[in-house]
Amino acid sequence: MTVLIDKFSRQVRYVRISVTDRCDFRCVYCMSEEMTFLPRAEVLSLEELSQVARAFTELGVEKIRLTGGEPLVRKGIDELVTDIGALPGLKDFAMTTNGAGLRRHARALREGGMTRLNVSLDSLDPERFKRLTRTGDLAKVIDGIHAAQDAGFERIKLNAVILRGRNDDEILDLVDFAREEQLDISFIEEMPLGDVSDHSRGETFYSSDDVQTSIESRHALIPSPETTLGPSRYFRMPDSDSRVGFISPHSHNFCSTCNRVRVTVEGRLLLCLGNEHSVDLRDTLRRYPGELEPLKDQIIAAMDLKPERHHFSTDGDVQVVRFMNMTGG
């Protein structure tokens, strides 16, 4: 089997595929309050998304994560999950979601072959949650997590972006909630994608080391060698099955072991989250409809474009102009 190796001898084993740029939330670190979304003709069809997933698995990719925007607002998402879930060679099939649609979709996702969920949850205070998401209902998200548990998802992970002065006082509450609900949790440093108007990223930056210090004031953290092929560094607590992870693009750069690429909903293959290196898969998909080999050839060739590292800074400078919802969660 041909596998994907870049110029720095890193094997790409993980692809994140965005199925929509739309979302029913407007999180302050992800997008502006007033967004212009892509016209339907520029968005990959469900068949094209399925074809992209098949091409990657035939090139040795073992893990696929569906992202957005919010993937559960995409019409036909359950059918797409079923198609991808049946692909040979796929060992880990996951989704990042805001959780609001899980009550309606969780069982279909699990029956379609999805094995894991990441649910974004930055606050346990309903009013603060509403401010951070601009439109979100915390009770609906909590209910969605319970629906996913009822559907048989065994590993559900919370993703929390910590912003200084906004929600850094909730770190311990979020950990205790994860412990009570038998969930994993990862804390994420804010990434400088898109020119957000809500806050200054230089002022709100909160490092993973600061989060870890806060947690260790109450819970011992033991480094764990576990991996989900993603960028999280995991820790265990002696008295809980919940894992605590840290995704630290600033303070603990993980570029040297990067095994990931992303496909945006308009079909751009992004070789690095923090750079604009990309190729247009949509043109190939539509020039050779239903043909895998031209698509696979283009993906293989694109590996030479994957840069050695990103250059994120913590001073509030915007390194990449596209918003996170355009990139894929």
Side-chain angles (χ1 to χ4, degrees):
M1 175 194 290
T2 301
V3 295
L4 299 173
I5 306 287
D6 71 8
K7 293 185 299 184
F8 307 98
S9 300
R10 298 171 299 192
Q11 181 181 348
V12 171
R13 301 164 60 198
Y14 174 11
V15 61
R16 300 171 66 106
I17 301 175
S18 173
V19 301
T20 180
D21 63 327
R22 298 172 186 269
C23 187
D24 44 350
F25 289 6
R26 294 288 185 275
C27 295
V28 296
Y29 52 78
C30 181
M31 61 175 81
S32 65
E33 192 164 6
E34 298 297 327
M35 289 295 298
T36 301
F37 297 108
L38 292 167
R40 181 173 298 180
E42 295 182 18
V43 169
L44 296 187
S45 68
L46 296 179
E47 294 77 12
E48 289 168 336
L49 289 166
S50 183
Q51 190 174 343
V52 167
R54 180 176 293 278
F56 273 102
T57 57
E58 291 191 8
L59 291 170
V61 164
E62 303 168 15
K63 176 177 178 178
I64 292 176
R65 176 176 297 280
L66 300 185
T67 68
E70 169 49 46
L72 295 182
V73 304
R74 177 72 191 256
K75 187 176 181 180
I77 186 64
D78 296 342
E79 291 79 7
L80 177 63
V81 165
T82 298
D83 286 347
I84 295 176
L87 291 174
L90 187 58
K91 297 179 181 178
D92 188 350
F93 186 24
M95 176 182 285
T96 296
T97 172
N98 63 31
L102 282 175
R103 174 57 64 185
R104 187 154 63 97
H105 290 279
R107 192 160 300 280
L109 299 180
R110 187 69 190 91
E111 291 175 353
M114 188 160 281
T115 51
R116 293 190 304 107
L117 293 172
N118 285 4
V119 180
S120 300
L121 184 67
D122 302 320
S123 175
L124 294 168
D125 175 83
E127 290 303 315
R128 179 180 285 177
F129 184 84
K130 185 70 174 286
R131 288 196 300 272
L132 288 170
T133 62
R134 294 192 179 107
T135 60
D137 181 346
L138 177 63
K140 197 171 182 180
V141 174
I142 302 299
D143 180 59
I145 291 170
H146 292 156
Q149 291 170 323
D150 293 343
F153 281 95
E154 296 180 1
R155 289 240 79 111
I156 301 171
K157 181 162 71 77
L158 305 178
N159 282 344
V161 176
I162 299 301
L163 304 177
R164 186 177 299 277
R166 294 293 187 91
N167 62 343
D168 54 303
D169 58 335
E170 289 196 69
I171 293 167
L172 289 172
D173 291 339
L174 286 163
V175 171
D176 288 343
F177 176 77
R179 287 163 55 96
E180 291 163 9
E181 295 287 343
Q182 297 182 306
L183 308 169
D184 295 334
I185 184 167
S186 279
F187 292 95
I188 306 172
E189 293 176 348
E190 185 182 14
M191 301 181 192
L193 301 180
D195 188 11
V196 295
S197 58
D198 175 82
H199 59 279
S200 163
R201 286 186 169 127
E203 295 175 0
T204 58
F205 175 70
Y206 203 86
S207 76
S208 293
D209 291 340
D210 290 336
V211 176
Q212 184 172 344
T213 297
S214 177
I215 297 171
E216 289 179 328
S217 71
R218 181 177 297 174
H219 304 291
L221 293 179
I222 304 167
S224 170
E226 296 167 279
T227 178
T228 55
L229 290 186
S232 276
R233 297 175 294 117
Y234 283 108
F235 292 76
R236 288 280 189 174
M237 294 173 282
D239 58 344
S240 173
D241 288 333
S242 295
R243 296 181 297 189
V244 176
F246 298 98
I247 299 176
S248 318
H250 299 285
S251 61
H252 293 270
N253 184 291
F254 40 74
C255 296
S256 64
T257 58
C258 183
N259 59 358
R260 297 169 300 285
V261 293
R262 296 166 183 257
V263 179
T264 69
V265 69
E266 72 269 40
R268 296 211 69 84
L269 172 59
L270 297 178
L271 284 307
C272 173
L273 176 63
N275 287 279
E276 295 290 5
H277 300 70
S278 66
V279 296
D280 182 6
L281 300 183
R282 186 180 66 198
D283 180 67
T284 301
L285 283 162
R286 295 182 179 177
R287 190 180 304 175
Y288 306 99
E291 296 184 36
L292 276 185
E293 292 309 312
L295 183 61
K296 289 162 66 175
D297 289 344
Q298 186 181 27
I299 293 169
I300 292 167
M303 291 302 105
D304 282 346
L305 297 177
K306 188 169 174 60
E308 185 174 14
R309 57 162 299 173
H310 64 66
H311 297 279
F312 286 159
S313 71
T314 61
D315 61 5
D317 185 36
V318 176
Q319 271 84 46
V320 178
V321 296
R322 54 182 148 77
F323 286 102
M324 197 67 193
N325 72 298
M326 296 295 296
T327 303

